Amino acid sequence: MNEIAKVNYPPLDFPATRAIDDIVITVAGQGGDGTQTIIALLTHALFHRGLHLYNTSNIASRIKGGHAATMLRGSTKWRGCLNDRFDVLMAFDTEAIEKSARWVADDGVIIYDESRAKLPEGVIAPTVTVISIPFSRIAVRELRRDLFKNCVGFGLLSRVIGLPDEEAIGCIQQQFKRLSAQDLEYNLRAFQQGLEFADAMGLTAAHSVYSLPSQKNENRLLINGNEATAFGFAAAGGRFFAGYPITPATEILDWLTKRLPRLGGIAVQAEDEMAAINIAIGAAMTGVRTMTGSSGPGIALMQESVGHCGSAEIPLVIVDCQRAGPSTGMPTKIEQSDIGMLAHGSNGDFPRVILAPGNPEECFQIGALATNLAAIAQMPIYIAQDGLSQTSETATMFDVDSVQIEYGEKLSADDVAQMKEYRRYAITDSGISPWAVPGIPGAMNLVTGNERNEWGQVVTDLPNRQAMMDKRRRKVETIRPRLPLAKEWGDDSAIIGVICMGMISGVLDEARERLEKIGVFIRCHRPRTLFPVLDDTLAFTRRYKTVFVVEHNESGQFLHLLQGAGAPAENLISLRKYDGAPYLPFQLVEALLAELE
Amino acid sequence: MNEIAKVNYPPLDFPATRAIDDIVITVAGQGGDGTQTIIALLTHALFHRGLHLYNTSNIASRIKGGHAATMLRGSTKWRGCLNDRFDVLMAFDTEAIEKSARWVADDGVIIYDESRAKLPEGVIAPTVTVISIPFSRIAVRELRRDLFKNCVGFGLLSRVIGLPDEEAIGCIQQQFKRLSAQDLEYNLRAFQQGLEFADAMGLTAAHSVYSLPSQKNENRLLINGNEATAFGFAAAGGRFFAGYPITPATEILDWLTKRLPRLGGIAVQAEDEMAAINIAIGAAMTGVRTMTGSSGPGIALMQESVGHCGSAEIPLVIVDCQRAGPSTGMPTKIEQSDIGMLAHGSNGDFPRVILAPGNPEECFQIGALATNLAAIAQMPIYIAQDGLSQTSETATMFDVDSVQIEYGEKLSADDVAQMKEYRRYAITDSGISPWAVPGIPGAMNLVTGNERNEWGQVVTDLPNRQAMMDKRRRKVETIRPRLPLAKEWGDDSAIIGVICMGMISGVLDEARERLEKIGVFIRCHRPRTLFPVLDDTLAFTRRYKTVFVVEHNESGQFLHLLQGAGAPAENLISLRKYDGAPYLPFQLVEALLAELE
Amino acid sequence: MNAIATTKTYTPSQPIWCAGCGHYGVKNALQYSMQALDIAGHETFVLAGIGCSGTIQNYIGAYGYHAMHGRVLPTATGVALANPHLTVIAAGGDGDGYAIGGGHLLHTFKRNPSMVYIVMNNAVYGLTKGQDSPTMPEPTAAPEEQALDAIQLGLSIRGTTFLARGFTSRPAQLNRLMMQALEHARAKRGLAFLEILSPCVTYNDTYPLWDAMVIDKDADENYDNTNRAQAMVTSLELSEQGRIPLGLLYRGDHPSYDSAFHRNAVTAPALEDVKAPQQQQLLRDILAEYKR
Amino acid sequence: MNAIATTKTYTPSQPIWCAGCGHYGVKNALQYSMQALDIAGHETFVLAGIGCSGTIQNYIGAYGYHAMHGRVLPTATGVALANPHLTVIAAGGDGDGYAIGGGHLLHTFKRNPSMVYIVMNNAVYGLTKGQDSPTMPEPTAAPEEQALDAIQLGLSIRGTTFLARGFTSRPAQLNRLMMQALEHARAKRGLAFLEILSPCVTYNDTYPLWDAMVIDKDADENYDNTNRAQAMVTSLELSEQGRIPLGLLYRGDHPSYDSAFHRNAVTAPALEDVKAPQQQQLLRDILAEYKR
Ligand SMILES: Cc1ncc(C[n+]2csc(CCOP(=O)(O)OP(=O)(O)O)c2C)c(N)n1
Ligand SMILES: Cc1ncc(C[n+]2csc(CCOP(=O)(O)OP(=O)(O)O)c2C)c(N)n1
Ligand code: SF4
Ligand code: SF4
Ligand SMILES: [Mg+2]
Ligand SMILES: [Mg+2]
């Protein structure tokens, strides 16, 4: 197995080691290439360095074998987005090079197999360091399995980013701890192979391209938005989920299928989205805290049923892991373009709330809060996720013990026993009617999506109708104080405001930082309740003459929501990106500056 | 059969005959009571008098036997709404009396069977004339069939409203022209029975309660909104419809099922709404002009597919016969509460248009226009109907010959033969791509709801995506000049504006008239294109400091649409009625005045 | 315990049905059977679709739910999974269950959740005024289209365990079938599917027609209702002859869907005490998966 | 006429499928049969669902359409009604057709519209990365749940006229079945349902398993594929034995759905000249109904 390693690989002329505190490493290839493994190894490495991590993918299709690029950003500061360019690109095939090479920083590094692809002309700065290495040939010839190329690659990469060998080996041991000793051994040998290559090229333990800092950052976890939302739901007592596979929401179904049964709960894969939400409705009516979820097309199919929950007063959490629409659209691309549907979809008027987390920690909190709010107000609560579903980030370790479980006006059999009379849809000041679930003696009641009287009997008389509509609307007012306000940050003497949602949070912060450097000061505002539009947000739109509304959709859906709620149109400037990729910091800076000129 | 008639019925003390030019007659009873027949007979009578008619029902449930009240207004002026009170109420059962008696005008007439029900106390003015008559007893005893009570009733009614006997007999002959001579004879005898009653009471040919004018009004038809929309569609070359029964949209399916086959077309009853819209999509892709329709719950189920039409560029007309929501709501009650769903429903952003007719004539025109616009712009066009679906009105005879059939950029085989290259999704300035349907040699193409390149092949690259989104949006700009502007009327020096949609048109006009009489002048504006919000409407919202937005829904959906499009929130006052019943003129006057004080 | 006697809540209303509607017979059979089996209203959840049929829940005095059109089966399945202590009864019309609900029917047959499903078949959409439903022979639009036979459909799905058909004009048999169905579901043996011929006197009065067509297989000693293939052959033959078999036409043994979920830690999610300390520990264990 | 030779439009792309995916075999059979029967691409409309399977329309060189998930059958029905001159081919996966599309399958069986429906059955959701589909035996969530057999389902619906099953590992038979299906549909005899066992090598590699399970009924001289009841009995028996029958398993004669519509004035709505003077006259006649 030493043949190739002994080949005298031409030493390259590497510049002096550069210390950086922020790095983006991209590994790209076919889906089956195991690019995920390299990223996982790098993740271990950077995590233990105490860096903040941001990990996302760019995949063309979900079929195994489709092109996939996985990006990992590690930084001493929290970022929550990618950087403009990649510092290191490791490309396993032609498509990877073609698609990703242009995004490598001028002083970056490209590692690829030149026997497979040519570098595209004119897009790569001459200052980029290019390393060519026949990964798979080495892996197959030397270790008899293509799979091992990942560790070869990791070996080389560890020298590029200046990871001491012991640290790197620690990562391999951690990553493959469930493998047989022999397989672990093979992987370690592949890693050595990578190191030998590096040595031959002049990338030694002493002379790496980059060197990365270490910082103390205990009590962190790395988690993606879907997992965190599912976790928040479970932590708040959520014990029933029904869904149907769809990119990028499937992970929630998977996560809960694996974990709910331990907690005495059930997760069901239904035959379609209508079945999913109605199974969920059935469960929710028995009193178990219930969630369903999907992405745009599935949520569109659920619209009739969501309105039904609003009408019939059924507590349900609905997660929409948004993706690029319309219709089937681009399933693996990001967008924030279901907001209008969530706020205005389905027939008729009914109470609903849309919450929008901006990072995994908020996913956890909002997953829990939505579960409580649904139970309290007996109504549908949407969680609007975006690229967060496809992104992992480091976050402060969740505090599961501090999650409260609130039951609102749910009645026990004892409560009912004390009552003289029970009306399911009793008209109350809060709009919330005490709720007895099936099984409780004496409290038999009728739940319906038709208009009804307090007993749940279908009636159409006018004053009753009006009273019932008003009662349902009041529920939103009742929980309004519980709805999370916006996160606001930036320069508080700025004269420019910028509003964004969800995943844009990170990139907006980075843009803010850069703008500050050139003397442009902005105040940032990210509502965590999208609907109803809360007063703090309306006040923000009135506070500045120039308020940007930055969103990932074509029609300015959030802008319309804001204006619909009374935000002054003349103050608002709409910035929209809808090509399926999130803003990079420089793009957002440019977009903001272009409007300011 | 003369026994009862000969009973000396106590003569009542009727006031002198009153000449009126506007009358509301209500016939109420159980659904099976044949109240429809009496209304039909009255309709003949008033139609021949050249009066404008407005005919609507108030039904609790669609099951035969449920309570139903049918109202007919006849007036020398066009009205397009009910009046505040009924001039005549004929009530066949207790429920009819209980529900309707309170709505009888102080100088009105109630006819009912006192053996069945008591008049509710305190709600009927002492000045109301009350006639008690044992309808069914007469009909059954005398004519051996309960059914004939309708003609007994009509006889009496004809004396109440001062219809000469010959005119009334003409109506009976017209109504029953398809019956056997014997059945006709029975009906005429029943009518005579009614007259004898009237005579006995003192209502004679010379002394009726009311007398009605006659006016020339040729070239009219009486039609309801559903029929008119279906007709407009057919007139513009619509030859395919797929639907699923739902109140109040079923009539469109019925109408087209009966008539399209004569025209070489097809109407299909599908297994559900998703099947309906997708059968329609399949048909539409072959080039036939296609429509589907439903009411709120069904339209909610179609949302995914509507977005698909927007994305895949499939021409489709979708009628929403709105009813009171949310969820199943109150199927037989009116509302305008799907506007938000139509404008913002479904995932992602795609081009769409919402048209809203205000009377049957506009239903016909808009049915035709929508059919052409869908074909021209290859996109979904919604028609938002409201109470119009449940209302018949007189209208100027439609001019089917003047309806244009426009094909937009549809290619023939010959056109394609001339082309060197054919791209289904060619990016053009107008956004509209020439369209070749299956069957044409050489023009094979791929239609998809995924993002695609010009050939229709699925791709996710960013610039293409952006270009395709922009192209689709441009189609709306291209047809914008064709979108119908608002109807505007009223005092043009007024300082108060009022905006309404659809069916509110008539009642707003009557309110305007009454307000003028007390010195309050308003300018009325009814957009016929609800989405996109057109400039004439935006200009209207800016023209007055006080602009009322009157709508039949709880949340102010149209208000939000207007504000979302940039209308100044500070000018707008929202008036909403959402109890399931349309505004009556006095209610709208009061609501407007209350805000103006 | 008599449900209605102890209620603190609504008084069941009078049916809105037309005089003579078959649905009265269905309601009677259900009430009779609940009483005969001593099933308490508060432990019973009647879920109904949309249609004339879809009002039956209002007349029983149990917990009741009015689903969206066509969705009653998934909803009832959710109930059965979340709280197995309830007697779950789904009910609806042929339009609701076989047209818009056809997909769910297929999958519910396949899953076999423990509950009763009553379909009131009148071959029309009663509530929307008489359009053809999937069980209408010779529908107006495409007269050659075959009527759907839901029992045959159920026989073709190998997870089914109880397929029966009753007729409101045969109340004694109907009562018996209803009781058997309730017992099947309550014993957690799976889905008890009971189609009931329930004529719509207003839009499709099939009393005399069906009276002439039905044939009681419960009374046929040679009929083996535990043999799926034979049941299918018999049913197909009878269809050819223009006959409609009544009775408990197929009875099988197959584990129920709920039994797959209700094991180990999972008993009744609806009754789980989510605030219990051991649950907190389990959550902490999940968190530990994320420690690196 | 060779479709691809005369195209002015897209060049069919290379499949995106994993190497070894069964779907290649389906594509090959379709292309082979279209050529063998001389079916022009421009007169053919291939409508596909969503899934790995749902990309087949991109590789044929015919008119192609990518439906919403589960909706390909109604869409194709709309095409068949509107333009009977087209050869209509619906295609999709088992998830697309049997899970979310199950209701439409039922009703399409019942209607029997003249078109081919190809289901590429791999017992998983390939595109979404390997979840169980309705044809998966022992699904993870509820292992006792029975796999759906769509042929048995089709046999239970009395309007069906062509029910066949092929296997991509039996290409000769598959080609034959595909040609028969196309001929059935093109002769307006109704729905030609062809389920093809098409393994997903990535998430559920069933090549060896299915190879051992299949049994060719085309080769069985004693099998009468015109007898619905026998076909059902045979299929149920084979299922019991863990076998999967291949071949044209049922062939019936029942008028097609489209034939109910295509009569009198209705020939092909898509080709109707709506501007013709007689159409104007017909509209005026309708208007006359409203004259009073
Ligand atoms: C989504 C939706 N589509 C359509 C309807 C209208 N609708 C109400 S009941 C019904 C059919 C009723 O027929 P069936 O289920 O047979 O019940 P029956 O009235 O005959 O007892 C329909 C189509 C609806 N309520 N919701
Ligand atoms: C409404 C909707 N729900 C879910 C999805 C996600 N989805 C895409 S393909 C697919 C299933 C694919 O399985 P199958 O039809 O068996 O095709 P295969 O990939 O196995 O060929 C699903 C669930 C979707 N696109 N749309
Ligand atoms: S319409 Fe038919 S189904 Fe409905 S209540 Fe009347 S008889 Fe029964
Ligand atoms: S994932 Fe499976 S079904 Fe999809 S292409 Fe690969 S092998 Fe075929
Ligand atoms: Mg029915
Ligand atoms: Mg599959």
Side-chain angles (χ1 to χ4, degrees), chain A residues 304, chain B residues 244-247 273 297-298 301 323 328, chain C residues 23 50-54 69 92-97 100 120 122 124-128 133:
Chain A
E304 187 201 15
Chain B
Y244 182 75
I246 189 167
T247 305
E273 287 86 352
L301 286 172
R323 67 188 210 187
T328 311
Chain C
H23 300 352
I50 305 269
C52 297
S53 41
H69 190 38
D94 44 333
D96 191 77
I100 189 168
M120 302 176 222
N122 53 15
V124 288
Y125 292 0
L127 191 62
T128 49
S133 93

Side-chain angles (χ1 to χ4, degrees), chain A residues 51-188:
Chain A
L51 299 183
H52 292 264
L53 302 183
Y54 183 87
N55 175 200
T56 187
S57 296
N58 193 343
I59 46 183
S61 139
R62 286 255 141 177
I63 301 181
K64 192 170 165 179
H67 175 74
T70 306
M71 281 84 72
L72 180 68
R73 183 175 188 177
S75 49
T76 47
K77 276 197 194 169
W78 169 79
R79 284 304 180 191
C81 63
L82 284 180
N83 208 338
D84 301 341
R85 297 296 185 104
F86 307 151
D87 298 296
V88 183
L89 167 68
M90 175 167 269
F92 280 105
D93 67 1
T94 315
E95 206 178 341
I97 281 287
E98 278 168 3
K99 293 215 159 137
S100 300
R102 71 191 60 225
W103 292 105
V104 175
D106 290 356
D107 54 5
V109 177
I110 295 180
I111 306 167
Y112 84 115
D113 184 342
E114 72 188 336
S115 64
R116 292 227 211 153
K118 272 227 224 142
L119 287 184
E121 270 176 45
V123 294
I124 303 167
T127 45
V128 169
T129 305
V130 178
I131 304 176
S132 172
I133 170 170
F135 301 105
S136 355
R137 193 141 37 91
I138 304 172
V140 176
R141 278 225 202 125
E142 299 308 306
L143 298 157
R144 307 271 158 249
R145 267 169 73 191
D146 190 62
L147 204 71
F148 295 124
K149 72 178 172 213
N150 299 316
C151 278
V152 178
F154 180 60
L156 186 60
L157 269 176
S158 71
R159 286 288 168 82
V160 170
I161 66 172
L163 203 66
D165 296 350
E166 323 76 71
E167 265 183 65
I169 289 171
C171 296
I172 293 175
Q173 282 162 338
Q174 190 177 358
Q175 176 70 16
F176 298 112
K177 60 173 177 272
R178 290 208 186 74
L179 290 190
S180 69
Q182 207 203 346
D183 277 348
L184 177 61
E185 179 56 27
Y186 272 119
N187 276 300
L188 287 169

Side-chain angles (χ1 to χ4, degrees), chain D residues 31-78:
Chain D
Q31 284 177 318
Y32 170 88
S33 307
M34 283 179 63
Q35 265 186 355
L37 298 176
D38 204 18
I39 302 174
H42 76 272
E43 289 167 354
T44 305
F45 199 1
V46 182
L47 301 100
I50 304 270
C52 297
S53 41
T55 62
I56 192 169
Q57 76 284 9
N58 300 328
Y59 316 134
I60 304 299
Y63 281 87
Y65 169 68
H66 198 187
M68 273 148 288
H69 190 39
R71 311 293 163 211
V72 71
L73 284 176
T75 322
T77 302

Side-chain angles (χ1 to χ4, degrees), chain B residues 63, chain C residues 17-18 21 23 52 122 126 200-203:
Chain B
I63 302 180
Chain C
W17 298 318
C18 308
C21 177
H23 300 352
C52 297
N122 53 15
C200 168
V201 289
T202 303
Y203 297 111

Side-chain angles (χ1 to χ4, degrees), chain B residues 272-571:
Chain B
D272 62 21
E273 287 86 352
M274 258 108 37
I277 190 169
N278 282 286
I279 290 172
I281 286 172
M285 285 193 292
T286 70
V288 61
R289 290 153 174 259
T290 303
M291 181 162 87
T292 184
S294 187
S295 185
I299 299 288
L301 286 172
M302 293 181 182
Q303 286 302 297
E304 186 201 16
S305 301
V306 175
H308 179 84
C309 290
S311 167
E313 310 207 21
I314 292 164
L316 188 62
V317 180
I318 305 148
V319 199
D320 181 359
C321 304
Q322 299 173 85
R323 67 188 210 187
S327 192
T328 311
M330 305 192 294
T332 59
K333 301 286 177 190
I334 67 98
E335 211 163 84
Q336 302 173 318
S337 62
D338 296 346
I339 306 301
M341 163 171 71
L342 304 185
H344 298 295
S346 203
N347 58 306
D349 289 312
F350 57 93
R352 60 187 125 184
V353 161
I354 311 173
L355 305 177
N359 53 55
E361 216 166 321
E362 284 185 7
C363 287
F364 179 79
Q365 290 155 357
I366 281 181
L369 177 66
T371 309
N372 280 324
L373 290 179
I376 292 170
Q378 303 166 33
M379 58 179 266
I381 310 284
Y382 278 120
I383 300 175
Q385 265 176 216
D386 47 28
L388 288 172
S389 295
Q390 284 129 301
T391 304
S392 294
E393 279 185 54
T394 39
T396 306
M397 189 57 73
F398 299 160
D399 182 2
V400 293
D401 292 310
S402 73
V403 175
Q404 295 297 314
I405 297 179
E406 295 170 83
Y407 283 110
E409 312 245 349
K410 197 173 160 197
L411 300 171
S412 67
D414 288 346
D415 294 335
V416 172
Q418 312 293 318
M419 298 169 77
K420 254 179 60 190
E421 191 178 79
Y422 175 67
R423 305 180 186 219
R424 170 69 189 94
Y425 294 108
I427 293 178
T428 59
D429 285 349
S430 65
I432 296 167
S433 315
W435 180 33
V437 299
I440 296 185
M444 285 77 76
N445 56 64
L446 300 171
V447 174
T448 174
N450 282 57
E451 201 52 273
R452 77 224 57 136
N453 61 21
E454 288 187 295
W455 306 105
Q457 292 167 312
V458 174
V459 296
T460 59
D461 83 89
L462 313 189
N464 175 78
R465 155 71 171 184
Q466 169 114 18
M468 281 292 167
M469 289 292 279
D470 293 341
K471 156 199 167 20
R472 290 191 291 264
R473 182 187 48 225
R474 282 200 301 277
K475 298 197 293 183
V476 179
E477 298 320 309
T478 300
I479 57 168
R480 194 183 277 265
R482 298 288 307 274
L483 299 177
L485 296 178
K487 286 278 179 198
E488 210 173 297
W489 76 101
D491 190 317
D492 51 20
S493 60
I495 54 162
I496 298 164
V498 183
I499 294 178
C500 77
M501 296 182 279
M503 69 181 300
I504 298 183
S505 192
V507 66
L508 175 57
D509 188 50
E510 195 154 353
R512 177 196 58 76
E513 237 182 63
R514 295 192 192 179
L515 287 168
E516 271 181 19
K517 289 201 186 116
I518 58 169
V520 178
F521 296 90
I522 62 174
R523 180 91 183 148
C524 305
H525 181 96
R526 175 172 59 80
R528 290 178 300 168
T529 303
L530 303 184
F531 191 83
V533 177
L534 299 184
D535 287 344
D536 62 332
T537 298
L538 287 178
F540 188 86
T541 64
R542 296 193 184 108
R543 191 172 313 141
Y544 307 95
K545 278 246 171 60
T546 306
V547 178
F548 289 92
V549 181
V550 187
E551 49 189 318
H552 277 307
N553 61 63
E554 181 261 337
S555 69
Q557 299 191 357
F558 195 47
L559 179 86
H560 284 107
L561 263 193
L562 294 172
Q563 289 182 178
E570 63 278 14
N571 291 0

